[in-house]
Amino acid sequence: MKLIAFSLIILAAAQAQRIPSQTIAQSGLLYGPFQEEPPISCSEEYVDEPPFHVSSAYKQGDRTFENFRSQDNYREKAAYIPRRSIVKIPKESQEYANHPNYYVPVEVVGVNETDHHEKNLDTRGKFGWASALRTGMERVKTGQKGFIHAQSLERADKYTYVVKEDSPIIKDNGLEDMGVVALKPVMANGQFLAQKCCSEAEFDPNRPKILAPKEKCFLKHQFKIISSKSQENARISLDAASCAVANTLAPFENDSKGDITAMLNFLKLASGESQVGFNLDKLETLDSRGLVKVPLDYESFDGNGMNGPFGSYHYNSDNRGAQDVYAKPYSACAFMEVLKNHQKRCQGYGCQTQFGNLYHPKSWGAHETHGDGECIDVRPLRVDNTQYSLTHQNPIYDREKTRELIELFKEAGATTIIFNDPQIQRNDPAVARYPGHDNHIHLCLPADSAKVQATCRDGLD
């Protein structure tokens, strides 16, 4: 008590007589704006605390969002939070995230931008009911606090995080030439590797403190850098729960092997040369089914279809043709590699790849063989640049171009190929006959096929 009282006298004297600040600092009695910030020491260690959590959608089925509950009353819906948004849980509430029946207090630090997807769901497709726009609620904002059901929260290690094109992470760490960049938490034995940094005391430049408080520590979690151009095992330390970082990360759920290759290469193809004006904010997914949508140029819709990637054309006027273009990431990636390669190999009249149905769940009552997101319908090629349906008996049908396209799909790993041209079947035992396939080729690109995965990873060039 005597020491504190004496310190207060020194402070009062300094204020009254304007004693130079360094004199007080040298006394060692005050700790605050008169001293330099205390030194920080850092060490690496494994910790239980994740850098953040990712929002899911408990009991929401195919919907693209979860209800975000009021900070004042967890029973009250305050907003919607898109799937794959990033939140942080107060340290004292971390344990509740593992309880199956709790609502957990969170702060939103990264909001998944789904405007493009929500609009197209709402106005174009059979999944329109899944759009968050139908709720009438506003989307959460960065910094907003509230509650989320524990079963709508996933630990950070379930995902890999694609870094948005304009993120400061790219420039600040010299990653501009690495293609599509993603980050994955570094872990061992269920714990996260972090850089733990501690200062001797909390530093507050706005007011002096009589006595230094306890040691103050913070974590910077370690992430492995993965890219579409390099698989180098470089690492980066990030305060990943800060809004400046989390708001530039797009989480994607790891597959059963923890692999993100399919999504990285899909994004590289879609955003590079696909010619449909794609960027990460225009990505459309069915997260609950693990499907991604092949990018389309919606503005080119002509009443019968619209332009697809690499000079292709998606024919389907049902619901403006946008509801059936989802596929598994490896299947979608390999399909776009075929489109890219075919555009190079075949140029001129009749070379446009025209594709129809990809994903059709059985509940829609048609195309039941398209229920897994791996199969595609493609029109036979022709001698002119028309865009209507034709059979192999049509005089404008080009058998040789069609045969070459089928060969290219086989090179990419295609199976279950069906097309009713008897001459192609006669020369290619891989092509089967089935009623109703005079005017299109049915084929599948199985996501678990080593050949399909190699096509996605390495291309066809």
Side-chain angles (χ1 to χ4, degrees):
M1 291 296 295
K2 291 181 179 179
L3 175 62
I4 294 174
F6 183 62
S7 299
L8 290 173
I9 293 170
I10 294 265
L11 175 60
Q15 292 173 336
Q17 302 177 26
R18 300 185 184 276
I19 299 174
S21 60
Q22 62 268 26
T23 304
I24 303 175
Q26 289 166 359
S27 72
L29 296 173
L30 294 180
Y31 186 79
F34 310 115
Q35 288 189 331
E36 293 181 357
E37 189 168 356
I40 296 176
S41 60
C42 297
S43 61
E44 281 192 353
E45 59 183 79
Y46 284 94
V47 298
D48 293 323
E49 184 180 343
F52 46 66
H53 283 70
V54 176
S55 70
S56 178
Y58 175 54
K59 289 187 176 180
Q60 294 283 45
D62 289 327
R63 289 183 173 87
T64 62
F65 62 93
E66 180 56 277
N67 295 314
F68 193 77
R69 307 281 173 160
S70 167
Q71 184 179 8
D72 300 319
N73 181 359
Y74 72 88
R75 297 180 183 275
E76 180 183 324
K77 298 175 185 177
Y80 74 86
I81 181 167
R83 287 178 186 257
R84 292 185 289 117
S85 293
I86 297 175
V87 301
K88 62 180 179 181
I89 302 173
K91 192 169 185 178
E92 63 273 15
S93 301
Q94 291 277 344
E95 61 181 293
Y96 298 128
N98 300 319
H99 195 287
N101 298 315
Y102 277 22
Y103 284 95
V104 183
V106 300
E107 178 182 349
V108 179
V109 292
V111 181
N112 185 13
E113 296 290 341
T114 59
D115 291 348
H116 183 77
H117 186 27
E118 302 290 354
K119 176 184 175 183
N120 289 317
L121 279 177
D122 196 38
T123 61
R124 297 176 187 270
K126 291 182 178 179
F127 288 107
W129 55 270
S131 171
L133 299 180
R134 300 290 179 96
T135 68
M137 294 188 292
E138 292 186 358
R139 186 172 58 192
V140 293
K141 297 178 175 60
T142 300
Q144 189 168 344
K145 295 181 179 179
F147 287 87
I148 296 181
H149 196 283
Q151 294 194 45
S152 287
L153 292 170
E154 306 283 1
R155 279 204 338 169
D157 49 305
K158 188 175 180 179
Y159 294 81
T160 300
Y161 304 86
V162 174
V163 183
K164 293 187 178 181
E165 300 92 336
D166 58 352
S167 171
I169 296 173
I170 300 291
K171 184 176 181 181
D172 292 350
N173 294 279
L175 307 178
E176 294 92 337
D177 298 324
M178 293 186 70
V180 180
V181 176
L183 305 176
K184 191 178 183 72
V186 178
M187 299 192 68
N189 300 318
Q191 291 185 305
F192 299 86
L193 181 61
Q195 190 178 49
K196 185 175 182 179
C197 298
C198 298
S199 60
E200 294 178 0
E202 183 177 1
F203 178 71
D204 185 347
N206 298 315
R207 65 185 178 88
K209 287 182 167 58
I210 302 305
L211 296 173
K214 294 180 180 179
E215 180 182 65
K216 181 182 179 182
C217 298
F218 60 91
L219 296 177
K220 296 181 77 171
H221 283 78
Q222 296 280 310
F223 289 82
K224 181 171 69 172
I225 299 173
I226 309 168
S227 86
S228 58
K229 290 185 177 181
S230 170
Q231 294 299 316
E232 293 179 10
N233 202 20
R235 291 194 329 209
I236 186 174
S237 296
L238 290 174
D239 178 10
S242 73
C243 295
V245 172
N247 230 15
T248 65
L249 300 178
F252 291 99
E253 191 170 344
N254 300 317
D255 67 15
S256 59
K257 298 178 182 178
D259 193 11
I260 195 67
T261 302
M263 187 58 71
L264 283 179
N265 284 287
F266 172 86
L267 293 173
K268 178 185 69 174
L269 286 164
S271 59
E273 313 157 51
S274 67
Q275 303 155 356
V276 290
F278 178 88
N279 60 44
L280 194 54
D281 287 340
K282 290 186 176 180
L283 180 69
E284 301 175 67
T285 63
L286 284 176
D287 286 335
S288 61
R289 308 189 187 201
L291 304 179
V292 62
K293 182 181 278 191
V294 173
L296 300 172
D297 178 6
Y298 294 111
E299 300 305 315
S300 67
F301 182 71
D302 60 9
N304 297 306
M306 66 196 77
N307 295 333
F310 301 103
S312 64
Y313 181 79
H314 174 53
Y315 62 87
N316 193 336
S317 58
D318 181 25
N319 285 299
R320 292 177 62 87
Q323 85 278 7
D324 64 344
V325 201
Y326 293 96
K328 292 179 179 177
Y330 267 122
S331 304
C333 176
F335 175 55
M336 289 208 294
E337 281 288 357
V338 170
L339 295 178
K340 176 184 176 182
N341 198 273
H342 182 252
Q343 188 181 44
K344 293 178 180 178
R345 294 188 188 187
C346 184
Q347 298 181 1
Y349 286 105
C351 284
Q352 184 182 57
T353 306
Q354 299 178 21
F355 68 96
N357 306 117
L358 276 81
Y359 176 63
H360 261 247
K362 291 182 180 180
S363 61
W364 290 1
H367 301 283
E368 291 189 1
T369 56
H370 290 249
D372 56 11
E374 295 180 337
C375 300
I376 309 160
D377 287 342
V378 180
R379 281 176 176 166
L381 298 184
R382 59 196 73 207
V383 298
D384 64 8
N385 283 338
T386 55
Q387 292 176 325
Y388 58 82
S389 177
L390 80 162
T391 69
H392 61 85
Q393 298 99 342
N394 194 300
I396 68 166
Y397 166 60
D398 192 318
R399 178 172 291 111
E400 183 57 24
K401 283 200 196 88
T402 302
R403 185 193 64 76
E404 290 174 354
L405 180 60
I406 291 173
E407 286 298 317
L408 184 57
F409 271 110
K410 286 167 59 179
E411 187 182 337
T415 63
T416 320
I417 304 171
I418 303 170
F419 182 48
N420 289 351
D421 181 340
Q423 291 194 40
I424 287 183
Q425 290 174 8
R426 192 176 302 121
N427 295 308
D428 189 346
V431 180
R433 178 179 179 82
Y434 196 81
H437 289 75
D438 285 3
N439 67 346
H440 70 276
I441 307 156
H442 170 95
L443 56 93
C444 301
L445 294 164
D448 60 356
S449 159
K451 205 168 184 180
V452 169
Q453 293 180 8
T455 297
C456 173
R457 184 177 59 250
D458 305 323
L460 290 167
D461 296 327

